[in-house]
Amino acid sequence: MSNKIKKRFVAGAVCPKCKAMDSIMLYFENNVEKIECVHCDYHESQVDKKVSAANKGSNSVIGVFKPE
């Protein structure tokens, strides 16, 4: 059984890597928003806002490993 992923191009979007216009496509994979350039190997994932907020709040050090 195949699971089709609906991919959409983003009009006017410019790839941050190769600077090609109208080459970015947007799609969802396992409920994660992803973008990909069709001209180069650039890709990026958008993390959930809850995950991003949790990572920003925990900047403290848990422990320091000191090998002997």
Side-chain angles (χ1 to χ4, degrees), residues 4-5 8 13-14 16-17 20 27-29 31 33-35 37 44-45 49 51 54 56-57 59 62-63 65 67:
K4 292 187 178 183
I5 298 173
R8 298 180 178 160
V14 178
K17 185 175 180 183
Y27 61 98
F28 284 90
E29 187 175 61
N31 293 327
E33 185 179 58
K34 296 184 178 192
I35 62 170
C37 179
E44 185 178 326
S45 297
K49 291 178 183 178
V51 174
K56 288 180 184 175
N59 290 334
I62 294 173
F65 176 71

Side-chain angles (χ1 to χ4, degrees), residues 8-44:
R8 298 180 178 160
F9 280 93
V10 181
V14 178
C15 176
K17 185 175 180 183
C18 71
K19 307 299 184 208
M21 182 176 261
D22 295 332
S23 65
I24 297 291
M25 61 181 176
L26 169 72
Y27 61 98
F28 284 90
E29 187 175 61
N30 298 325
N31 293 327
V32 177
E33 185 179 58
K34 296 184 178 192
I35 62 170
E36 186 176 306
C37 179
V38 296
H39 291 289
C40 68
D41 61 347
Y42 179 78
H43 57 277
E44 185 178 326

